[in-house]
Amino acid sequence: MMAKEIGIIALLSGPLCVLFYVLHDVIGALNYPGYDPMGQAVSDLTATDAPSFAAAIGYSNVYGILCCICCIMLCLLVRGAENKFLRRGMYAFTVMNFISAIGYSLFPLSSAGYDGSFQSFVHVYIVTILVVILSIVSMVSIAVGCFRTNRKTLAIITVIALLCMFVGAAGSQMVPQDMFGLVERFSTYSAVVFTGILGIYGYIDLSRTGNKVGGI
C-alpha cells in the first residue's frame, strides 16, 4: 500500500474516533443502572467500580488509539508548513490527545465523582488540567494559523470548539448538580468532534492534492 493511501486511512481514524467516543458514552450509560447523563460526567462510566466499566472501557481505549493515529498523521501533514501557528498548534493538540489517551487509561476515576483517592486526584487535577491547558493553547494557535492561511471556515470551527470548551469548563462550576453532566459534555465533546473535523480536512487535502507537507 502506498504512503498516500496509508495516510488517508490514518486520517479517517479521526471521524471514527468520534463514533467510538459516542459508543462508549451511550453503551456505557445503558450498562450503568440509574446513570443520569444530565447530572453525571462521562468519566463516571469508566470509573473502576462503575457497573459500566467493562462495557465502556474498550470503546474508550479504541477512541484514544484512533485519536492519536489521526493526530500523528496531521502532524506529518503540517511538519513543513511555514505557518508556525498552525504547525505548533497541531503539535500541541497531538500532545494533548496522547496525554488524554494514556493518562485517563492509567488513572481512571476509582469511583464515580471524586473520592479523594490518589488515582482520582491524578485523573482530575493533573491529567484533566493538562488536557484543558493544552487544548486551549493548541486551539488558539490553530485558529490564528488558519486565519493567516485564509482557512477561515476551519478557523471559525476552531473558535466554536474553543468556546464550547469554555462553556463546559465554566458552566460545570455554575450549574446545579442535576445539569452538570449536560454542561460538562460541551467541554469533552468539543475536543472529540474537533479531532474528527481535523481528520476530515486532512483527508480531503491529501485526497485532492497528495500534499505531504503543509496540509490542512
Side-chain angles (χ1 to χ4, degrees), residues 6-77:
I6 294 174
I8 288 173
I9 292 172
L11 290 166
L12 287 176
S13 63
L16 276 177
C17 82
V18 179
L19 172 62
F20 275 88
Y21 191 85
V22 173
L23 286 173
H24 121 271
D25 193 359
V26 173
I27 293 176
L30 291 174
N31 285 274
Y32 192 131
Y35 180 79
D36 178 16
M38 295 287 288
Q40 290 182 258
V42 179
S43 54
D44 285 359
L45 296 170
T46 50
T48 53
D49 68 347
S52 57
F53 177 79
I57 193 65
Y59 293 103
S60 178
N61 288 337
V62 173
Y63 151 75
I65 293 169
L66 291 173
C67 204
C68 290
I69 291 172
C70 179
C71 286
I72 289 172
M73 190 61 214
L74 289 167
C75 284
L76 292 175
L77 281 176

Side-chain angles (χ1 to χ4, degrees), residues 24-210:
H24 121 271
D25 193 359
V26 173
I27 293 176
L30 291 174
N31 285 274
Y32 192 131
Y35 180 79
D36 178 16
M38 295 287 288
Q40 290 182 258
V42 179
S43 54
D44 285 359
L45 296 170
T46 50
T48 53
D49 68 347
S52 57
F53 177 79
I57 193 65
Y59 293 103
S60 178
N61 288 337
V62 173
Y63 151 75
I65 293 169
L66 291 173
C67 204
C68 290
I69 291 172
C70 179
C71 286
I72 289 172
M73 190 61 214
L74 289 167
C75 284
L76 292 175
L77 281 176
V78 302
R79 70 188 185 280
E82 293 183 5
N83 188 314
K84 64 181 181 180
F85 289 99
L86 180 60
R87 188 175 67 250
R88 293 174 182 175
M90 194 60 64
Y91 291 165
F93 191 74
T94 300
V95 172
M96 179 278 291
N97 274 298
F98 268 87
I99 290 175
S100 175
I102 296 171
Y104 288 135
S105 294
L106 292 177
F107 300 99
L109 291 174
S110 55
S111 184
Y114 178 71
D115 61 1
S117 66
F118 173 76
Q119 187 168 307
S120 294
F121 175 83
V122 174
H123 180 102
V124 174
Y125 291 107
I126 297 180
V127 178
T128 298
I129 289 175
L130 283 173
V131 167
V132 170
I133 291 173
L134 284 170
S135 295
I136 293 171
V137 170
S138 62
M139 286 184 179
V140 168
S141 186
I142 291 171
V144 172
C146 287
F147 276 120
R148 288 195 170 192
T149 55
N150 205 31
R151 297 266 186 172
K152 292 184 179 179
T153 302
L154 183 55
I156 292 170
I157 291 172
T158 306
V159 172
I160 292 172
L162 187 57
L163 289 174
C164 287
M165 185 172 291
F166 275 120
V167 168
S172 61
Q173 306 300 317
M174 299 166 56
V175 298
Q177 183 60 42
D178 59 358
M179 294 291 290
F180 173 83
L182 176 63
V183 176
E184 186 253 2
R185 279 168 169 78
F186 274 92
S187 182
T188 56
Y189 271 93
S190 60
V192 175
V193 174
F194 184 62
T195 303
I197 291 172
L198 287 177
I200 292 171
Y201 266 86
Y203 166 80
I204 292 171
D205 184 79
L206 195 60
S207 298
R208 284 180 178 175
T209 66

